[in-house]
């Protein structure tokens, strides 16, 4: 169990981890967007594609064939899952800290009540 005085540092630590995960997710999204832009450029200059349906099908085919694209999609899913777990941990710590603060306030109020009697 964490001591009362250690909660702020533990909360800050998890917030930092969540922020780092957010940065990691953003990087992965940027890489995916670059891959998609490359595929879109290939499609834009392909004279054999005559309509939107053909372009959409070709885009989907090229993205499916691009191994890195799917790896980065999986990476994002994993990092988002880790981030969600960290958010749950953060919520738990915040709740525990709130309860401990209330318990401390109650103890102080009871001590003040005893002194007043």
């Amino acid at each position: 169990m964490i001591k009362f005085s250690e909660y702020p540092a533990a909360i800050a630590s998890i917030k930092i981890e969540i922020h780092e995960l957010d940065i990691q997710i953003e990087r992965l999204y940027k890489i995916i967007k670059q891959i998609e832009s490359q595929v879109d450029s290939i499609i834009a200059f392909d004279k054999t594609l005559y309509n939107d349906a053909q372009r959409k099908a070709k885009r989907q085919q090229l993205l499916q064939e691009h191994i890195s694209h799917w790896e980065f999609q999986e990476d994002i899913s994993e990092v988002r899952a880790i981030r969600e777990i960290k958010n749950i941990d953060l919520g738990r710590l915040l709740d525990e800290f709130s309860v401990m603060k209330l318990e401390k306030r109650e103890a102080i109020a009871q001590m003040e009540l005893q002194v007043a009697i």
Side-chain angles (χ1 to χ4, degrees), residues 1-4 7 95-111:
M1 178 118 183
I2 299 175
K3 294 180 186 175
F4 181 75
Y7 271 92
D95 291 345
E96 287 175 0
F97 190 49
S98 293
V99 168
M100 287 184 101
K101 287 191 295 187
L102 289 172
E103 289 172 346
K104 296 269 185 200
R105 287 181 186 150
E106 181 183 29
I108 291 170
Q110 286 186 2
M111 286 175 22

